[in-house]
Amino acid sequence: HCERHAASRSRLDGIFVGDLRPADPFVPGMPPLRELDDRFFQDAGRSSGAVPVHLRTLGPSGARDAAFRLPPEMLPVYLRSLRLEMRFDEAELALSAIEEYDAGVDGTARVCDPSDLRRERAKLDETVRLRERGDAQRGEGFHDQAIKLYGECLAVDAGTGDAGGGAGTGTTPGILKRQSSWPAASGAANAGGKLHA
């Protein structure tokens, strides 16, 4: 949804000139479009052989373009979704471009709150580190350890992962519940699973 929204907003690039400049919804001097195209998510029809619209995702340059064209309240959600979808190249390029842009402007023209960027950067780095460790364990045949590390990847937001470097310290809830928070099954709840002759 975020990428489709950014693609539709990309049609507005360059139209806010002259007396329309005060109404420009984008940050001043944002990088020009490289890959994002407002027609990327349009349906080409069933006979075209194209990837269905609901399965399309942007590449790294497109994700970078999208990050600058999203409303500020959507940007943290988008960066998090790139990380959770394991689109690490896209997340890295988008984060790096925003960090570089924000470092070169005063506080009023920033794309994102610096503390939010630092937190997401730490979470991305931690997720990539845990994923690489999990892949190494899986490659060596230690599947139980790999599963544990992959679970920690998903729990980075909740702070249940190996929270080195400040990852998992934000207030964004994780996508996994801790096992201790699961409701306990009662005898009545399990009665439906019994076989009756």
Side-chain angles (χ1 to χ4, degrees):
H1 176 73
C2 292
E3 290 181 344
R4 291 180 80 166
H5 185 68
S8 69
R9 285 174 56 108
S10 72
R11 289 183 298 221
L12 303 176
D13 272 28
I15 67 169
F16 294 96
V17 294
D19 61 341
L20 292 177
R21 191 170 306 278
D24 192 346
F26 304 120
V27 293
M30 74 176 170
L33 287 170
R34 290 188 187 164
E35 185 179 304
L36 186 62
D37 181 356
D38 65 319
R39 295 179 304 279
F40 183 77
F41 291 101
Q42 290 180 353
D43 192 3
R46 293 176 190 250
S47 62
S48 71
V51 174
V53 173
H54 66 281
L55 296 177
R56 294 181 194 165
T57 58
L58 297 171
S61 292
R64 172 204 152 274
D65 290 344
F68 281 98
R69 281 146 187 92
L70 287 171
E73 60 275 6
M74 267 180 113
L75 182 59
V77 174
Y78 179 57
L79 294 173
R80 179 180 186 225
S81 71
L82 290 174
R83 175 172 45 86
L84 292 175
E85 291 172 5
M86 296 186 304
R87 296 173 57 197
F88 300 136
D89 292 339
E90 290 86 344
E92 174 62 39
L93 188 56
L95 265 171
S96 296
I98 293 168
E99 289 166 342
E100 183 180 326
Y101 175 88
D102 283 357
V105 297
D106 65 13
T108 60
R110 286 195 174 123
V111 176
C112 195
D113 180 3
S115 63
D116 288 343
L117 284 178
R118 282 191 301 274
R119 209 171 15 254
E120 185 57 38
R121 165 66 67 195
K123 289 177 181 182
L124 176 62
D125 292 346
E126 181 68 5
T127 301
V128 170
R129 186 183 71 78
L130 288 168
R131 167 81 189 279
E132 288 172 350
R133 285 180 52 206
D135 288 349
Q137 291 293 316
R138 183 177 50 90
E140 294 175 13
F142 299 110
H143 300 286
D144 290 344
Q145 285 295 338
I147 290 170
K148 181 178 179 253
L149 289 165
Y150 294 147
E152 288 178 20
C153 283
L154 297 173
V156 165
D157 281 327
T160 58
D162 181 12
T169 58
T171 58
T172 306
I175 62 171
L176 297 179
K177 286 185 172 183
R178 298 182 204 276
Q179 186 173 359
S180 61
S181 69
W182 295 352
S186 66
N190 290 329
K194 295 180 180 175
L195 292 175
H196 298 282

